[in-house]
Amino acid sequence: MTRASGRTIQLLSLFLLLLVASVSCRPRVRTTSLGEVVIPDHLTSPQERQSYLIDHYWDREEAQPTTSDSLLVHKVKDFCGLIQGAPTTQVRRSLLRSLEAFGDEGLPLALSTYRDQLFRPESPLYDERLYSFILDWERRSMKVDSARRVEALLSLARLQHNRVGSTAQDFRFYASDTSLMKLSEVKAPYTLLLLQVDSDRKERLWVSELKASKSLQALIQKRTLQPLMIYTGQARPDSLQRSLFTGAILAPDSAGLIATQRRYDLSRGSVLYLLDQKKTVLLRNTTIPRVASYLDIYEKQTSPDRTP
């Protein structure tokens, strides 16, 4: 062996040692979530891991759009659960990335899944703020047709009416045959506003859930909570309905301010709002069990008898 070849072997050995050392020093990664994101092991806190997942969830979708309908639905559902409680700016950026990444065939299914998860009142992930990002993208994107862009624009406008934190729009109704009232004149600390659409008769479900909630019944008896059922179509409350809704005010939309002037969004059928004494919207497009949970937490926090 010559001196030159020996030196070459030494250099190659040193190079191999450095290569092995560099590989061993790299952070180990593992696959997690349906987005098949690999998270470096040095990210240990839940907040760091959630942030990394959100930022990189759609990397693979951008490289190769999903062709399986069932997998695409699962990915969107998984992502909707992941972004709960995350910073708004980060969530918006990742949401828009996903919409741009979906192929023409997968986009309609993805949009309907997002709507089902984030804009269906019965969904545990219901979040109008997050869904408004999707509507804002739809109204501007050339990936959807003109009719869908117009509908997205109208949906965004409806979201601005009676949004959480704003004052509910006032309207008149007949509390009896001769007694004309306004929503603003209901003086209870809380108003449970139920807007009933003729084609979507939810009053039986609402009655059942109200009767099943001992906490809401107690608040109604104390006049802390006033249920106000407004019939927005041609139907009028009968004697049976009045007997079922004990403690509630039942009345038609006498002046047509809800149905004809569209002061409330009834595009998806009957809706339910929780208002405070000043008629600030606390919850909307909600359910009675959620109202019960919300008021139960609030009452425990404000009760003078609570234990420290």
Side-chain angles (χ1 to χ4, degrees):
M1 180 184 296
T2 65
R3 185 176 179 181
S5 62
R7 184 172 180 80
T8 301
I9 292 173
Q10 287 179 340
L11 289 173
L12 286 172
S13 299
L14 179 61
F15 174 77
L16 289 173
L17 284 172
L18 290 173
L19 180 62
V20 171
S22 66
V23 170
S24 63
C25 290
R26 289 179 185 173
R28 290 174 298 162
V29 295
R30 70 179 182 84
T31 301
T32 184
S33 85
L34 287 174
E36 297 182 318
V37 182
V38 288
I39 305 178
D41 274 1
H42 71 273
L43 300 179
T44 56
S45 74
Q47 292 79 11
E48 288 178 323
R49 298 178 73 80
Q50 180 192 35
S51 179
Y52 191 92
L53 272 171
I54 292 172
D55 283 341
H56 296 278
Y57 192 93
W58 300 110
D59 287 358
R60 184 161 296 192
E61 192 71 28
E62 288 179 327
Q64 184 176 359
T66 302
T67 56
S68 165
D69 287 353
S70 60
L71 179 58
L72 186 147
V73 169
H74 282 302
K75 279 187 174 182
V76 172
K77 288 181 177 179
D78 182 50
F79 181 68
C80 288
L82 172 66
I83 60 180
Q84 298 301 305
T88 299
T89 302
Q90 183 185 36
V91 169
R92 182 178 184 276
R93 182 172 61 246
S94 194
L95 271 173
L96 299 187
R97 278 188 66 195
S98 77
L99 297 174
E100 293 293 347
F102 293 130
D104 292 339
E105 294 183 0
L107 181 61
L109 179 59
L111 287 171
S112 67
T113 306
Y114 271 130
R115 183 180 182 88
D116 186 59
Q117 294 296 301
L118 300 177
F119 206 49
R120 182 172 57 87
E122 295 78 16
S123 169
L125 302 179
Y126 181 87
D127 193 319
E128 292 179 355
R129 176 182 58 89
L130 297 183
Y131 192 68
S132 69
F133 300 150
I134 295 172
L135 290 174
D136 187 53
W137 178 87
E138 282 189 84
R139 75 178 178 86
R140 294 180 290 105
S141 176
M142 298 307 294
K143 292 183 70 174
V144 299
D145 60 37
S146 59
R148 184 144 196 165
R149 292 200 297 272
V150 171
E151 178 56 34
L153 179 63
L154 293 175
S155 295
L156 269 176
R158 286 193 290 262
L159 279 180
Q160 297 305 311
H161 290 294
N162 307 301
R163 65 187 183 276
V164 172
S166 67
T167 301
Q169 295 189 49
D170 210 0
F171 58 87
R172 298 187 302 275
F173 61 92
Y174 278 99
S176 65
D177 292 339
T178 58
S179 176
L180 185 64
M181 287 186 64
K182 289 184 177 181
L183 172 64
S184 56
E185 295 172 348
V186 179
K187 299 303 182 184
Y190 298 103
T191 300
L192 184 63
L193 176 60
L194 308 102
L195 303 178
Q196 174 65 50
V197 176
D198 285 355
S199 60
D200 178 24
R201 303 182 69 82
K202 286 187 178 177
E203 68 261 56
R204 291 191 178 183
L205 172 63
W206 287 339
V207 166
S208 174
E209 292 177 337
L210 273 174
K211 289 183 178 295
S213 174
K214 293 182 180 179
S215 60
L216 291 184
Q217 286 299 313
L219 292 176
I220 292 172
Q221 291 174 8
K222 291 190 299 183
R223 300 184 185 277
T224 301
L225 176 66
Q226 176 61 69
L228 173 59
M229 167 77 90
I230 302 295
Y231 292 80
T232 64
Q234 298 301 313
R236 294 294 185 268
D238 57 29
S239 57
L240 174 60
Q241 290 163 329
R242 293 185 186 279
S243 66
L244 291 175
F245 278 97
T246 305
I249 299 173
L250 278 69
D253 177 21
S254 305
L257 297 181
I258 296 172
T260 60
Q261 295 188 15
R262 299 184 180 181
R263 294 197 177 187
Y264 290 80
D265 179 15
L266 303 175
S267 61
R268 292 179 293 172
S270 303
V271 292
L272 190 156
Y273 288 72
L274 178 66
L275 316 175
D276 68 8
Q277 192 164 20
K278 295 180 179 180
K279 302 303 171 283
T280 303
V281 178
L282 302 177
L283 297 173
R284 79 165 178 177
N285 293 336
T286 188
T287 63
I288 286 177
R290 286 186 188 170
V291 170
S293 298
Y294 181 95
L295 292 179
D296 185 52
I297 293 172
Y298 181 81
E299 288 294 304
K300 285 181 178 178
Q301 290 175 342
T302 58
S303 172
D305 298 327
R306 71 184 188 276
T307 56

